[in-house]
Amino acid sequence: MASETTTTTTSVAPGRFSGLREFWYYFSMNHGAVLGLAVFVLLILVALFAPVLAPFSPDQQFREFIRMAPPWAGGTQPQFFLGTDEVGRDILSRLIHGSRYSLMIGFIVVTGALIVGVTLGLLAGYFRGWVDALIMRVMDIILAFPSLLLALVLVAILGPGLFNAMLAIALVLQPHFARLTRAAVLSEKSREYVTSAKVAGASHIRLMFVTILPNCLGPLIVQATLSFSNAILEAAALGFLGMGAQPPTPEWGTMLARAREFITSAWWIVTMPGLAILITVLAINLVGDGLRDALDPKLKRS
């Protein structure tokens, strides 16, 4: 009996490792995706160790160094590597702490949109009929509006704030998960393994969440990665419009909103948060492209 267990464990483990090796092989063929993954991991480390890495508190003001340029752009204070803002706060410290808000926004929004969207998509694709028609028409209504405009309207109704902004963005993004899940369920529902599970007496919930859903995860992972960057962008846009995170929160969009009047007189105040958003979103999109290449059999290159 012990030898049989050992043999089974040994045979399963190499299969798992070979699957990971195959995934990494196709993912690493996209050099942009590897670079994006390295930047994203670096961003996670910066967010985790923000209190240690940031030279100053994000709200600490140095009144004698208001709008101080970076030392490499003519500034006279080397301790402010990226300069200071309109009230004398260190921009580098605020960007480092702001990475925490960006990752939190992306994670919470994508998690909420994924849970709601996948559940609705499973119900629509599995039961069809009036359930499918009702859910999909609601999704079509949401998709009929520009995402940022709809999020802006929802935040205006709920009230400005970071939590309300995340709630509105999650609501705007979840139709993409619902439609994607529905299409995958319709494709998988008629497969033989689903029919076998039905014959074996599996319940509807088990069929949806245990039998069908695991075989639909590939495109959902890619969509979640791309939605992560969309969530960061839309949260920054809402913050820029004054409807997202409120000052003095060091959220990158809010930093841009406060800095727009200094575009010509103190360019570093508006450029640095903009570059942080650009690099983060670009890195996440590159990772999403790599995941698509690695998880979609049709796109795997020989």
Side-chain angles (χ1 to χ4, degrees):
M1 181 66 68
S3 61
E4 291 180 3
T5 305
T6 304
T7 304
T8 303
T9 305
T10 306
S11 63
V12 171
R16 291 178 180 175
F17 285 118
S18 64
L20 290 175
R21 282 197 296 267
E22 180 185 5
F23 168 81
W24 177 249
Y25 171 76
Y26 288 107
F27 183 87
S28 62
M29 289 181 68
N30 188 330
H31 301 297
V34 176
L35 177 61
L37 180 62
V39 173
F40 186 60
V41 171
L42 179 62
L43 177 65
I44 294 175
L45 294 176
V46 168
L48 290 175
F49 298 102
V52 178
L53 297 175
F56 304 101
S57 168
D59 298 326
Q60 185 176 357
Q61 299 181 8
F62 300 90
R63 290 291 185 175
E64 65 275 23
F65 301 123
I66 291 177
R67 295 199 298 275
M68 174 64 64
W72 42 267
T76 59
Q77 301 298 321
Q79 69 267 32
F80 304 121
F81 183 72
L82 296 182
T84 60
D85 63 10
E86 68 279 3
V87 294
R89 295 171 297 193
D90 181 48
I91 293 178
L92 176 60
S93 299
R94 290 181 64 78
L95 289 178
I96 291 175
H97 283 273
S99 64
R100 287 186 157 190
Y101 287 93
S102 294
L103 290 180
M104 178 188 70
I105 289 168
F107 178 77
I108 294 177
V109 167
V110 169
T111 300
L114 185 66
I115 292 174
V116 176
V118 167
T119 302
L120 293 177
L122 280 172
L123 293 173
Y126 185 83
F127 290 107
R128 300 299 302 274
W130 67 269
V131 176
D132 182 21
L134 177 62
I135 293 176
M136 286 300 104
R137 295 302 75 77
V138 173
M139 298 301 104
D140 290 341
I141 292 173
I142 296 176
L143 291 173
F145 295 92
S147 58
L148 181 58
L149 177 61
L150 181 57
L152 188 61
V153 171
L154 292 173
V155 174
I157 295 172
L158 297 173
L162 184 58
F163 177 78
N164 290 339
M166 291 190 294
L167 186 63
I169 297 170
L171 180 62
V172 168
L173 292 180
Q174 58 89 22
H176 300 285
F177 292 100
R179 293 174 68 91
L180 192 61
T181 304
R182 174 184 178 272
V185 170
L186 291 177
S187 175
E188 297 292 328
K189 186 180 176 181
S190 58
R191 299 292 180 89
E192 294 180 357
Y193 70 91
V194 178
T195 304
S196 300
K198 284 182 180 179
V199 173
S203 64
H204 294 306
I205 294 179
R206 182 176 180 81
L207 285 172
M208 287 190 290
F209 290 95
V210 179
T211 305
I212 298 177
L213 182 58
N215 294 283
C216 308
L217 290 180
L220 288 174
I221 292 173
V222 177
Q223 182 61 43
T225 305
L226 299 178
S227 296
F228 198 103
S229 63
N230 288 337
I232 294 175
L233 267 181
E234 296 198 3
L238 290 175
F240 181 80
L241 296 172
M243 304 299 287
Q246 300 299 302
T249 303
E251 194 270 327
W252 294 340
T254 305
M255 293 172 64
L256 280 174
R258 298 294 300 272
R260 55 188 168 189
E261 57 184 295
F262 305 106
I263 292 178
T264 56
S265 60
W267 57 267
W268 57 91
I269 301 179
V270 67
T271 301
M272 300 309 167
L275 282 176
I277 296 172
L278 171 66
I279 293 172
T280 302
V281 171
L282 180 60
I284 296 173
N285 285 339
L286 289 174
V287 172
D289 289 339
L291 290 174
R292 180 195 59 192
D293 294 343
L295 295 174
D296 192 341
K298 297 178 182 178
L299 297 176
K300 288 182 178 179
R301 296 181 290 269
S302 57

